[in-house]
Amino acid sequence: MPGHPRIGLYGGAFDPPHVAHHAVAQAALGQLGLDLLLIIPTGQAWHKSRPLTSAEHRLAMARLAFADLPRTRVDERELHRTGPTYTIDTLAEVAAEHPDAELFLIVGADQLQQFPTWHRWQDILSRATLAVANRAEHIGTDALSPAHRPSNLSAVEIPFVTLAMAPLNVSATALRRHMQQDWLDGVLDDVPLVSPAVAGYISTHNLYQNHS
Ligand code: ATP
């Protein structure tokens, strides 16, 4: 890596990883000129009320989902942390491992809305540039323009850069619901919302049959 590597951190439950996650990662690699992209499956995140699929399965699916992307590595560290996992701790660790790096934190637009609720969010901004991908089903295509900032953020100035990508109307929640209804085969035949490798893994391990 060059003297001042550009490193992206992209965290998520990835339960399961879907095509929009892949598109965000691809956009980040290209548009931010990343030398390294870390895909970071979360532990049992404090802000998600539902129990997540096991770390073992989510890790395996993440490896399959992002395997084709260059300069991209699935990073297990948050899965091994006991207690709550915080992004600021992960950022601090990565910064210590790569002292000369410029760090980018990659999130979807829904997370931008919630960002002021994140643990030590100002410290996060002092260590990393926030890179935000638009998210169709949440707040519309022009959601990132100032005029469309959600009102709860109107008093908060959050600097960020935008990742240009066609908004994709897909969420892991919707996927899990559909799979519970045995819809998986149809979904995958018509519109691939997860990669064939991830679909194969889900099917082999009978995941998402009893999830909400
Ligand atoms: P869930 O529906 O279970 O909350 P999710 O689809 O939002 O899951 P996460 O694993 O929680 O997926 O998301 C990881 C990151 O990817 C978050 O920053 C989220 O905003 C972003 N993301 C997820 N789906 C999209 C999408 N369709 N477009 C843009 N960003 C997305």
Side-chain angles (χ1 to χ4, degrees):
M1 280 200 282
H4 295 285
R6 295 164 72 86
I7 300 179
L9 293 85
Y10 183 32
F14 301 123
D15 191 15
H18 50 65
V19 290
H21 293 139
H22 187 276
V24 171
Q26 206 165 20
L29 278 167
Q31 293 170 40
L32 301 173
L34 299 180
D35 299 293
L36 175 64
L37 172 60
L38 299 176
I39 304 288
I40 309 178
T42 53
Q44 295 285 341
W46 57 269
H47 59 280
K48 297 235 177 190
S49 46
R50 138 196 107 76
L52 300 176
T53 301
S54 77
E56 177 203 352
H57 286 320
R58 288 187 297 115
L59 183 59
M61 288 189 286
R63 291 208 172 108
L64 293 170
F66 298 100
D68 62 321
L69 294 179
R71 307 185 300 288
T72 301
R73 189 191 300 162
V74 177
D75 184 303
E76 303 180 23
R77 76 184 71 216
E78 290 195 2
L79 297 173
H80 298 306
R81 229 175 257 159
T82 50
T85 64
Y86 294 117
T87 300
I88 185 65
D89 299 330
T90 303
L91 266 177
E93 285 179 17
V94 173
E97 290 158 17
H98 303 274
D100 296 327
E102 186 173 354
L103 302 181
F104 296 85
L105 182 66
I106 298 146
V107 298
D110 57 310
Q111 296 299 321
L112 177 66
Q113 286 182 296
Q114 295 176 13
F115 193 68
T117 68
W118 286 29
H119 183 59
R120 293 175 54 198
W121 63 275
Q122 290 100 332
D123 292 338
I124 294 176
L125 293 178
S126 70
R127 283 187 176 268
T129 301
L130 203 54
V132 182
N134 214 339
R135 188 157 185 180
E137 80 279 26
H138 277 265
I139 42 184
T141 50
D142 52 3
L144 297 180
S145 71
H148 291 82
R149 283 293 195 86
S151 55
N152 63 335
L153 284 187
S154 55
V156 183
E157 262 313 304
I158 301 179
F160 64 90
V161 298
T162 303
L163 294 175
M165 71 173 226
L168 288 167
N169 193 359
V170 48
S171 75
T173 303
L175 270 168
R176 287 192 304 273
R177 270 196 204 121
H178 289 310
M179 287 189 276
Q180 209 178 1
Q181 295 159 10
D182 251 358
W183 199 56
L184 182 59
D185 290 341
V187 170
L188 296 173
D189 288 347
D190 301 338
V191 191
L193 297 180
V194 297
S195 74
V198 171
Y201 188 95
I202 291 171
S203 175
T204 303
H205 296 271
N206 281 318
L207 302 183
Y208 305 115
Q209 299 306 306
N210 299 307
H211 275 253
S212 56

